[in-house]
Amino acid sequence: QVQLGESGGGLVQPGGSLRLSCAASGGTFSSYTMGWFRQAPGKEREFVAVVRSNGGSAYTTHSVNGRFTISRDNAKNTVYLQMNNLNPEDTAVYYCALENRRLIISSLRDAGNYDYWGQGTQVTVSS
């Protein structure tokens, strides 16, 4: 049984930065694709970023391109989301997720295609 746990959320001023971490336990972390999603109040969960098992391919959604970077350290069983130049529209609960079926990238924007989820960490961007 795989378990995921996010950390690093908090309150930050507009223009600030945060780094989210997601630690995995159980399973073989280095074989999983890992994604980040977020959900703002009253909105559906939306795709943010994904990184393949070896870290060689990574993608972010258009609204965060150039500001957010996803990365992973397989030796530490951890995936990261570096978030820079944050704005109030980035306020949400951020979730990490694991996909174990090696789906094509276009499928990895769909939250329903992920197999395990963390409990989420709140990010609030406000002055």
Side-chain angles (χ1 to χ4, degrees):
Q1 181 74 11
V2 176
Q3 292 186 323
L4 303 175
E6 301 94 336
S7 61
L11 173 65
V12 62
Q13 292 187 342
S17 298
L18 283 175
R19 188 175 82 155
L20 305 183
S21 300
C22 172
S25 61
T28 306
F29 180 78
S30 60
S31 66
Y32 305 138
T33 293
M34 298 298 297
W36 284 97
F37 286 75
R38 65 186 181 185
Q39 188 165 18
K43 295 186 177 181
E44 293 187 354
R45 192 167 299 190
E46 67 167 345
F47 168 79
V48 176
V50 64
V51 61
R52 287 296 197 187
S53 58
N54 63 2
S57 298
Y59 303 91
T60 51
T61 195
H62 178 73
S63 63
V64 308
N65 280 347
R67 301 188 299 122
F68 291 12
T69 303
I70 187 171
S71 63
R72 65 191 295 160
D73 185 339
N74 286 344
K76 295 182 178 180
N77 289 355
T78 301
V79 61
Y80 304 97
L81 186 68
Q82 177 67 44
M83 306 186 295
N84 298 327
N85 194 21
L86 285 158
N87 59 61
E89 290 70 36
D90 296 316
T91 295
V93 177
Y94 283 71
Y95 299 90
C96 68
L98 177 156
E99 185 273 321
N100 192 28
R101 289 165 286 160
R102 301 183 181 182
L103 300 178
I104 60 175
I105 284 293
S106 60
S107 297
L108 294 172
R109 296 178 174 270
D110 183 349
N113 285 331
Y114 286 77
D115 303 293
Y116 295 94
W117 291 84
Q119 80 287 353
T121 185
Q122 176 70 48
V123 171
T124 302
V125 184
S126 175
S127 56

